[in-house]
């Protein structure tokens, strides 16, 4: 690959001609990443507090992931799923032991993990039970079924007809869910903390009520932990912070430390319904991605990153609470662990832009929620640096 002559201008021009324009891209060509920082083609450094849309959960190019990938790539990259491979088995065992003793199916993305969960929920429940209830403002992916599961019309518009068998209720509203359940309901699918929906945190009481309802009505509980999983909340999985165990859990994003991999974990008696021929993914759980994901587990455990996430979460919330006192435009601060939303009274796109120009990468979702998902390796100095830039950007955009 020739990267030598690539400049910001040449790459943007190349994209304009050859890459489909389905993403709104910021005018930065990122060429290198290490830990909490990335560098662009002009050698400018950015503090990345939203690394890879929550993919680089343990930071960019974590040395353990780099080493594991380098070693694995020279040994075996891919083996078809009609054979066994060592890294896939190893990863499945780690996932199972760290969560609820389930069995794993591997794929390549969050949407695929959710597709698998939808198919499993339907096949594992009696005939006629095929309806899945999801939450307003959810986000479950961009395939046709996961777009239908995503209860936000803006993602569905124009792509109809969409698969049937989905119903929506407001998030955190137990009575509404109770009313929506009927004999055709086979599953309830929830993000314990809605990410794209604006960092909306499910209450413990709610999730406990949902679990009881599912048990009572023999409905499967699916937690979409694509964004909340792999340490983000200060526990390996967000469900562990609630003490509410799902029947099926989906993962992707941070699982592979930057390498594409998705997973569905299901209680063994449910998982048993996915028999040969019922579901598959050619690349799913390939040796390279599985080796990378095993290295993520090693890093989290050996470097005590769950502890660091909890500690840095407390620090970040304290710093942001101080910031809030200085900026009336901040109307709410919410989240868990290092999944943090700062809600503004006005649209936040201008703030994101100003931050980027000052060397800080963050995100804004739902127009008004600034989203921070720092890597689990973050230190106080990074949070100080980020909050100082944000302070300036807010002042310039809105005044104090
Ligand atoms: N589920 C959740 C909660 C997500 O946040 C996302 C992506 O943002 C997805 C599913 C879809 O994942 P992917 O883009 O890997 O298909």
């Amino acid at each position: 690959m020739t990267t030598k002559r690539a400049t910001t201008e040449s790459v943007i021009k190349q994209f304009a001609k050859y890459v489909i324009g389905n993403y709104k891209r910021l005018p930065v060509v990122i060429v290198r990443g290490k830990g909490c920082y990335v560098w662009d083609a002009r050698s400018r450094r950015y503090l990345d507090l939203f690394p890879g849309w929550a993919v680089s959960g343990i930071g960019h190019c974590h040395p353990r992931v780099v080493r594991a990938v380098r070693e694995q790539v020279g040994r075996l990259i891919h083996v078809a799923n009609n054979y066994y491979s060592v890294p896939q088995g190893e990863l499945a065992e780690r996932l199972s032991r760290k969560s609820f003793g389930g069995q794993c199916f591997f794929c390549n993305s969050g949407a695929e993990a959710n597709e698998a969960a939808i198919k499993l929920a339907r096949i594992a429940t009696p005939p006629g039970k095929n309806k899945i209830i999801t939450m307003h403002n959810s986000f479950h992916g961009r395939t046709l079924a996961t777009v239908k599961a995503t209860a936000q019309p803006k993602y569905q518009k124009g792509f109809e007809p969409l698969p049937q068998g989905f119903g929506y209720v407001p998030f955190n509203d137990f009575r509404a869910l109770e009313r929506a359940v009927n004999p055709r309901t086979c599953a309830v699918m929830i993000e314990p903390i809605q990410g794209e929906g604006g960092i909306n945190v499910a209450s413990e009481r709610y999730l406990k009520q949902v679990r009881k309802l599912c048990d009572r009505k023999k409905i499967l509980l699916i937690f979409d932990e694509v964004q909340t999983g792999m340490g983000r909340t200060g526990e390996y999985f967000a469900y562990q912070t609630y003490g509410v165990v799902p029947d099926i859990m989906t993962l992707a994003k941070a699982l592979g430390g930057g390498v594409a991999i998705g997973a569905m974990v299901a209680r063994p008696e449910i998982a048993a319904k996915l028999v040969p021929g019922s579901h598959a993914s050619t690349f799913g759980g390939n040796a390279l991605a599985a080796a990378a994901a095993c290295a993520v587990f090693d890093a989290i455990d050996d470097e005590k990153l769950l502890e660091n996430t909890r500690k840095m979460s407390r620090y970040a919330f304290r710093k942001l609470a101080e910031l809030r006192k200085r900026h009336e435009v901040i109307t709410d601060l919410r989240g868990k662990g290092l999944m943090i939303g700062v809600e503004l009274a006005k649209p936040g796109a201008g703030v994101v832009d100003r931050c980027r120009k000052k060397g800080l990468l963050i995100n804004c979702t739902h127009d008004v929620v600034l989203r921070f998902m720092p890597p689990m390796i973050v230190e106080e100095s990074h949070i100080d640096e980020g909050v100082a830039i944000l302070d300036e950007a807010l002042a310039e955009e809105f005044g104090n």
Side-chain angles (χ1 to χ4, degrees):
M1 195 175 70
T2 53
T3 49
K4 265 199 201 127
R5 281 173 294 110
T7 63
T8 299
E9 293 71 25
S10 73
V11 173
I12 291 176
K13 223 164 120 188
Q14 186 180 46
F15 267 62
K17 187 156 183 201
Y18 298 110
V19 179
I20 292 178
N22 61 313
Y23 299 102
K24 208 190 271 173
R25 294 180 197 268
L26 300 164
V28 181
V29 176
I30 294 176
V31 294
R32 186 162 72 87
K34 191 169 176 14
C36 295
Y37 293 95
V38 289
W39 286 260
D40 73 8
R42 295 183 174 120
S43 302
R44 177 137 197 242
R45 191 180 83 159
Y46 300 84
L47 172 65
D48 194 356
L49 296 188
F50 193 66
W53 217 269
V55 164
S56 309
I58 56 169
H60 291 278
C61 297
H62 191 287
R64 282 174 194 263
V65 175
V66 171
R67 203 179 321 128
V69 167
R70 281 200 176 127
E71 279 171 16
Q72 187 60 44
V73 85
R75 192 178 307 131
L76 180 72
I77 297 175
H78 174 81
V79 59
N81 276 312
N82 58 333
Y83 300 99
Y84 294 92
S85 79
V86 178
Q88 187 178 137
E90 182 72 23
L91 175 60
E93 181 170 343
R94 283 174 193 225
L95 266 174
S96 180
R97 287 181 184 275
K98 291 289 184 194
S99 57
F100 48 88
Q103 289 186 307
C104 306
F105 162 81
F106 293 104
C107 50
N108 313 288
S109 67
E112 277 176 274
N114 286 333
E115 283 275 345
I118 291 165
K119 285 179 74 174
L120 177 58
R122 286 184 174 173
I123 205 147
T125 45
K129 264 186 176 285
N130 51 31
K131 194 170 160 192
I132 295 171
I133 301 178
T134 65
M135 308 296 138
H136 290 169
N137 286 329
S138 55
F139 186 86
H140 298 297
R142 302 287 196 150
T143 60
L144 288 176
T146 57
V147 144
K148 185 65 184 275
T150 295
Q152 297 196 58
K154 68 176 178 190
Y155 294 115
Q156 301 177 344
K157 205 163 168 273
F159 297 111
E160 301 85 355
L162 296 171
Q164 294 181 346
F166 292 87
Y168 311 134
V169 292
F171 186 62
N172 259 338
D173 181 341
F174 179 66
R175 295 283 160 240
L177 177 65
E178 211 176 20
R179 278 196 301 273
V181 163
N182 65 36
R184 282 188 52 214
T185 309
C186 69
V188 173
M189 183 151 135
I190 306 184
E191 298 157 78
I193 304 172
Q194 293 186 330
E196 306 307 305
I199 312 288
N200 306 316
V201 184
S203 77
E204 194 171 318
R205 183 177 142 84
Y206 172 68
L207 287 189
K208 288 196 160 139
Q209 285 175 315
V210 174
R211 179 69 270 182
K212 276 196 190 140
L213 176 72
C214 288
D215 290 342
R216 208 165 61 238
K217 302 275 183 183
K218 297 199 175 358
I219 294 167
L220 297 176
L221 180 56
I222 305 169
F223 278 177
D224 177 342
E225 292 233 25
V226 167
Q227 201 163 136
T228 54
M230 295 308 288
R232 178 54 53 197
T233 61
E235 293 293 341
Y236 257 104
F237 309 105
Y239 82 79
Q240 292 162 331
T241 70
Y242 288 94
V244 175
V245 183
D247 300 300
I248 301 173
M249 171 175 74
T250 56
L251 298 167
K253 293 216 189 263
L255 178 58
V259 179
I261 183 166
M264 172 183 70
V265 188
R267 283 201 290 118
E269 59 278 25
I270 300 164
K273 298 289 195 293
L274 225 47
V275 296
S278 61
H279 197 54
S281 166
T282 298
F283 289 109
N286 69 76
L288 188 64
C294 287
V296 173
F297 275 101
D298 286 342
I300 293 176
D301 289 342
D302 296 349
E303 296 170 20
K304 302 202 174 345
L305 296 183
L306 294 176
E307 288 86 333
N308 191 58
T309 297
R310 294 195 284 265
K311 197 166 144 211
M312 289 304 112
S313 171
R314 288 192 291 275
Y315 187 73
F317 273 103
R318 200 167 75 232
K319 285 281 159 184
L320 289 167
E322 283 166 22
L323 187 78
R324 183 178 181 178
K325 286 190 198 136
R326 293 196 291 282
H327 297 277
E328 268 180 21
V329 72
I330 299 178
T331 55
D332 194 22
L333 241 183
R334 55 181 183 261
K336 219 177 220 196
L338 288 174
M339 185 166 184
I340 301 172
V342 176
E343 183 156 348
L344 306 177
K346 297 176 185 165
V351 179
V352 173
D353 226 44
R354 286 182 194 274
C355 285
R356 190 187 77 251
K357 287 178 184 151
K358 292 172 184 291
L360 169 67
L361 303 183
I362 59 167
N363 170 260
C364 179
T365 188
H366 259 232
D367 276 350
V368 291
V369 184
L370 300 178
R371 185 166 40 160
F372 299 83
M373 296 187 73
M376 296 169 76
I377 54 162
V378 76
E379 295 169 15
E380 286 183 1
S381 60
H382 301 121
I383 293 170
D384 290 342
E385 185 184 341
V387 170
I389 296 177
L390 179 63
D391 195 1
E392 274 178 33
L394 285 168
E396 287 172 15
E397 184 75 4
F398 303 117
N400 280 82

